[in-house]
Amino acid sequence: MKCPYCTNLDTKVVDSRLTDSNDSVRRRRECERCGKRFTTYERIETKPIAVIKKDNTREPFDRNKILSGLIRACIKRNINVGTLNELVDDIENEITDMPGSEINSRELGNLVLKRLRGLDKVAYIRFASVYKQFDNIRQFTNELTRLKKK
Protein backbone atom coordinates (compact mmCIF):
# COMPACT_ATOMS: atom_id res chain seq x y z
CA MET A 1 0.00 0.00 0.00
CA LYS A 2 1.44 3.36 -1.01
CA CYS A 3 1.90 5.96 1.76
CA PRO A 4 -0.30 9.01 1.04
CA TYR A 5 2.33 11.28 2.65
CA CYS A 6 5.63 10.24 1.04
CA THR A 7 4.44 7.71 -1.63
CA ASN A 8 6.69 4.99 -0.22
CA LEU A 9 5.44 1.50 -1.07
CA ASP A 10 6.68 -0.14 2.14
CA THR A 11 3.97 0.09 4.80
CA LYS A 12 2.98 -2.25 7.58
CA VAL A 13 -0.40 -3.05 9.06
CA VAL A 14 -0.56 -1.93 12.71
CA ASP A 15 -4.18 -2.87 13.44
CA SER A 16 -7.06 -4.57 11.59
CA ARG A 17 -10.69 -4.79 12.56
CA LEU A 18 -14.11 -5.22 11.02
CA THR A 19 -16.21 -2.10 10.62
CA ASP A 20 -19.42 -1.88 12.63
CA SER A 21 -21.43 -2.93 9.59
CA ASN A 22 -19.21 -6.04 9.13
CA ASP A 23 -18.85 -5.43 5.40
CA SER A 24 -15.29 -4.12 5.31
CA VAL A 25 -11.99 -4.33 7.14
CA ARG A 26 -10.44 -1.18 8.57
CA ARG A 27 -6.66 -1.28 8.61
CA ARG A 28 -4.32 1.15 10.38
CA ARG A 29 -1.04 1.27 8.51
CA GLU A 30 2.32 2.82 9.22
CA CYS A 31 4.83 3.94 6.62
CA GLU A 32 8.25 2.30 6.97
CA ARG A 33 10.00 5.44 5.67
CA CYS A 34 8.26 8.49 7.21
CA GLY A 35 6.56 6.75 10.16
CA LYS A 36 3.17 8.42 9.54
CA ARG A 37 0.00 6.41 10.02
CA PHE A 38 -3.06 6.23 7.81
CA THR A 39 -6.24 4.17 7.50
CA THR A 40 -7.37 1.98 4.60
CA TYR A 41 -10.58 0.04 4.09
CA GLU A 42 -10.86 -3.29 2.34
CA ARG A 43 -14.28 -4.09 0.87
CA ILE A 44 -15.79 -6.94 -1.09
CA GLU A 45 -16.13 -5.93 -4.70
CA THR A 46 -19.80 -5.65 -5.50
CA LYS A 47 -21.70 -5.52 -8.75
CA PRO A 48 -21.06 -2.29 -10.65
CA ILE A 49 -23.85 0.25 -10.22
CA ALA A 50 -24.46 3.07 -12.68
CA VAL A 51 -26.01 6.36 -11.58
CA ILE A 52 -28.35 7.90 -14.14
CA LYS A 53 -27.85 11.67 -14.04
CA LYS A 54 -30.48 14.34 -14.81
CA ASP A 55 -29.26 14.63 -18.40
CA ASN A 56 -29.58 10.81 -18.82
CA THR A 57 -25.82 10.26 -18.85
CA ARG A 58 -24.52 7.44 -16.71
CA GLU A 59 -21.55 7.34 -14.41
CA PRO A 60 -20.27 4.68 -12.01
CA PHE A 61 -21.56 4.85 -8.45
CA ASP A 62 -18.90 6.50 -6.30
CA ARG A 63 -19.35 6.23 -2.54
CA ASN A 64 -16.69 8.91 -2.05
CA LYS A 65 -18.87 11.51 -3.81
CA ILE A 66 -21.67 10.81 -1.35
CA LEU A 67 -19.28 10.84 1.60
CA SER A 68 -17.71 14.15 0.60
CA GLY A 69 -21.18 15.72 0.21
CA LEU A 70 -22.13 14.45 3.66
CA ILE A 71 -18.92 15.77 5.19
CA ARG A 72 -19.63 19.22 3.70
CA ALA A 73 -23.20 19.11 5.03
CA CYS A 74 -21.97 18.13 8.50
CA ILE A 75 -19.27 20.78 8.92
CA LYS A 76 -19.31 22.10 12.51
CA ARG A 77 -21.90 19.52 13.51
CA ASN A 78 -21.11 16.94 16.18
CA ILE A 79 -21.00 14.02 13.73
CA ASN A 80 -17.86 11.96 13.23
CA VAL A 81 -16.67 10.61 9.89
CA GLY A 82 -17.14 7.03 11.12
CA THR A 83 -20.88 7.65 11.46
CA LEU A 84 -20.97 9.12 7.95
CA ASN A 85 -19.06 6.12 6.59
CA GLU A 86 -21.66 3.82 8.17
CA LEU A 87 -24.43 5.88 6.58
CA VAL A 88 -22.78 5.54 3.16
CA ASP A 89 -22.25 1.80 3.78
CA ASP A 90 -25.96 1.48 4.52
CA ILE A 91 -26.89 3.33 1.32
CA GLU A 92 -24.44 1.28 -0.74
CA ASN A 93 -25.83 -1.97 0.69
CA GLU A 94 -29.39 -0.90 -0.12
CA ILE A 95 -28.45 0.01 -3.69
CA THR A 96 -26.59 -3.27 -4.17
CA ASP A 97 -29.63 -5.22 -2.95
CA MET A 98 -31.90 -3.50 -5.48
CA PRO A 99 -32.75 -5.37 -8.66
CA GLY A 100 -30.87 -4.12 -11.68
CA SER A 101 -27.58 -2.30 -11.92
CA GLU A 102 -28.70 1.32 -12.27
CA ILE A 103 -30.16 3.94 -9.97
CA ASN A 104 -31.53 7.35 -10.77
CA SER A 105 -29.59 10.23 -9.14
CA ARG A 106 -32.88 11.52 -7.71
CA GLU A 107 -33.49 8.18 -5.94
CA LEU A 108 -29.93 8.17 -4.65
CA GLY A 109 -30.28 11.70 -3.28
CA ASN A 110 -33.53 10.73 -1.57
CA LEU A 111 -31.81 7.76 0.11
CA VAL A 112 -29.20 10.15 1.49
CA LEU A 113 -31.82 12.67 2.64
CA LYS A 114 -33.87 9.97 4.34
CA ARG A 115 -30.91 8.94 6.46
CA LEU A 116 -29.73 12.49 7.15
CA ARG A 117 -33.19 13.48 8.37
CA GLY A 118 -32.85 11.02 11.24
CA LEU A 119 -29.23 11.92 11.94
CA ASP A 120 -29.12 15.72 12.02
CA LYS A 121 -31.73 18.25 10.87
CA VAL A 122 -29.22 21.03 10.12
CA ALA A 123 -27.08 18.71 7.99
CA TYR A 124 -30.29 17.56 6.28
CA ILE A 125 -31.21 21.15 5.31
CA ARG A 126 -27.67 21.87 4.13
CA PHE A 127 -27.60 18.75 1.96
CA ALA A 128 -31.14 19.34 0.68
CA SER A 129 -30.33 22.93 -0.30
CA VAL A 130 -27.56 21.74 -2.61
CA TYR A 131 -29.23 18.53 -3.79
CA LYS A 132 -32.56 20.24 -4.54
CA GLN A 133 -30.80 23.39 -5.82
CA PHE A 134 -32.58 25.91 -3.61
CA ASP A 135 -32.29 29.36 -5.12
CA ASN A 136 -34.60 31.40 -2.90
CA ILE A 137 -35.70 31.66 0.73
CA ARG A 138 -39.17 30.25 -0.02
CA GLN A 139 -37.67 26.87 -0.94
CA PHE A 140 -35.78 26.83 2.37
CA THR A 141 -38.88 27.69 4.39
CA ASN A 142 -40.99 25.11 2.53
CA GLU A 143 -38.42 22.42 3.28
CA LEU A 144 -38.20 23.50 6.93
CA THR A 145 -41.98 23.33 7.19
CA ARG A 146 -42.00 19.78 5.74
CA LEU A 147 -39.19 18.81 8.14
CA LYS A 148 -41.16 20.11 11.16
CA LYS A 149 -44.27 18.15 10.13
CA LYS A 150 -42.36 14.86 9.96
Side-chain angles (χ1 to χ4, degrees):
M1 181 63 61
K2 183 169 70 171
C3 173
Y5 302 104
C6 71
T7 67
N8 181 35
L9 292 176
D10 295 322
T11 62
K12 65 179 178 182
V13 175
V14 178
D15 180 45
S16 290
R17 66 179 73 165
L18 283 174
T19 59
D20 291 338
S21 57
N22 290 326
D23 63 354
S24 62
V25 177
R26 177 185 181 272
R27 299 193 194 283
R28 287 293 294 160
R29 296 178 180 269
E30 184 176 311
C31 177
E32 297 284 330
R33 182 190 301 156
C34 70
K36 292 192 178 180
R37 291 185 176 196
F38 58 99
T39 302
T40 60
Y41 291 89
E42 183 178 308
R43 289 187 169 69
I44 295 172
E45 192 170 350
T46 57
K47 70 179 181 180
I49 302 290
V51 177
I52 305 169
K53 307 297 277 181
K54 288 180 187 176
D55 63 359
N56 273 341
T57 59
R58 285 160 173 73
E59 67 179 44
F61 172 77
D62 183 358
R63 65 176 280 113
N64 291 325
K65 285 179 80 171
I66 295 173
L67 183 60
S68 66
L70 287 170
I71 289 170
R72 281 192 303 273
C74 294
I75 289 176
K76 295 189 179 180
R77 304 301 298 159
N78 193 19
I79 302 169
N80 66 42
V81 177
T83 301
L84 298 179
N85 260 311
E86 289 173 16
L87 193 142
V88 176
D89 287 344
D90 189 38
I91 291 168
E92 190 172 17
N93 289 337
E94 185 171 341
I95 292 169
T96 304
D97 290 344
M98 290 178 172
S101 59
E102 296 182 331
I103 185 167
N104 187 295
S105 62
R106 184 173 50 251
E107 290 176 72
L108 182 56
N110 288 332
L111 290 174
V112 174
L113 285 173
K114 182 174 98 177
R115 285 160 178 81
L116 261 181
R117 186 182 302 124
L119 182 65
D120 185 273
K121 304 287 192 253
V122 172
Y124 169 85
I125 289 296
R126 288 176 178 171
F127 190 89
S129 70
V130 174
Y131 167 66
K132 295 182 178 186
Q133 300 176 334
F134 293 172
D135 59 3
N136 62 54
I137 196 72
R138 178 176 290 134
Q139 290 172 310
F140 271 101
T141 54
N142 288 344
E143 192 65 34
L144 284 170
T145 302
R146 277 193 293 275
L147 189 59
K148 281 183 178 179
K149 288 180 182 178
K150 293 182 180 180

